[in-house]
Structure formats: C-alpha cells, structure tokens
Amino acid sequence: MLQLTSRLDLPAAATAHAPRMSNDENRSGTPAGPNTSVITKVKPKTKRPNLYRVLILNDDYTPMEFVVHVLEKFFQKDVEAATKIMLHVHHHGIGECGVFTYEIAETKVTQVMDFARKHQHPLQCVMEKK
C-alpha cells in the first residue's frame, strides 16, 4: 500500500536536506508549493482473528449414535474420532468438536442445534472464546 505524504507533513529537518529534482523549483527559483509529494510504502498490519471452541454438552436423552452422527456430519470426524469425542462428552459432561473463527463456529453451533431439534433431541452445542 502506498501513502502520499506532502512535504509539509514531514519534519523541517527532513525537508531541509532532501534532494530536489529539477521540477521541484518553479521558474522564479523558489521551492515548489504544497503540490510536492513524497511516496512512502506503508506495510499493512493484519491481526489474526480470535478463535472459538465449539463444545457439545452431555445430556441423559440424546443417543450416543446420534452424537457420533453429528460429529461426522458437521465436523468431518471419522467414526473413530467421533466415538472418542462422544465418549469424552459422556464421561466428562462436555467435549470439544473443533476450533474455528467466530463466524464458522457460530454457523456450526446453529447447524447442530437445528439438526438436533429437527430429530427431537435435546443436544446442546455451545461456543466459547479460546
């Protein structure tokens, strides 16, 4: 990204010793006015987005097979990984499905909750900042 800076924006020391090009002076020999510019490169500073953990909560009514199906369908887990997460949720009450940016995590939570409601299960899925 390029940023134009007028010589008027520069400190006096920078303009006093700056080399002049032949077109920097007008016909009377005096330095050109505020139309003179210096081009400087500005490196944009990007920040990594915040990440969010998507969690499934245990309940006493949702079948284990349904939880495994949800993990396979929405989080692209294979049967073995999905079963491991499901058992962790069953024994510890909560389990992490994945870590995503805010928009993706929010979408996954909504998809899981809608899918569970559609199949009449009380499965809860939440997200928290990592």
Side-chain angles (χ1 to χ4, degrees):
M1 175 185 302
L2 295 177
Q3 178 180 355
L4 289 177
T5 307
S6 169
R7 284 198 180 195
L8 296 176
D9 295 340
L10 297 175
T15 57
H17 298 20
R20 288 193 200 133
M21 307 271 292
S22 62
N23 62 357
D24 278 356
E25 294 182 359
N26 60 20
R27 291 185 182 159
S28 64
T30 59
N35 294 335
T36 305
S37 299
V38 176
I39 298 176
T40 58
K41 283 191 175 185
V42 177
K43 191 171 185 177
K45 295 178 183 175
T46 55
K47 188 173 105 175
R48 290 195 175 265
N50 293 325
L51 296 177
Y52 292 81
R53 298 170 60 202
V54 176
L55 307 167
I56 286 187
L57 306 177
N58 190 37
D59 64 71
D60 294 333
Y61 304 102
T62 304
M64 293 179 178
E65 296 80 17
F66 184 79
V67 176
V68 170
H69 179 65
V70 164
L71 291 166
E72 291 173 334
K73 181 177 178 79
F74 297 106
F75 299 98
Q76 290 70 47
K77 303 291 184 189
D78 58 30
V79 175
E80 189 175 321
T83 304
K84 187 175 179 181
I85 293 169
M86 178 273 299
L87 288 173
H88 187 274
V89 171
H90 181 69
H91 293 296
H92 297 97
I94 193 167
E96 183 179 288
C97 305
V99 178
F100 309 96
T101 59
Y102 180 83
E103 291 82 9
I104 294 172
E106 185 177 45
T107 301
K108 297 242 182 224
V109 168
T110 303
Q111 288 174 330
V112 170
M113 295 293 286
D114 290 346
F115 189 71
R117 296 297 162 268
K118 180 180 172 188
H119 290 87
Q120 299 178 348
H121 294 298
L123 183 65
Q124 292 293 307
C125 186
V126 296
M127 60 189 257
E128 72 175 22
K129 195 170 185 178
K130 186 167 183 180

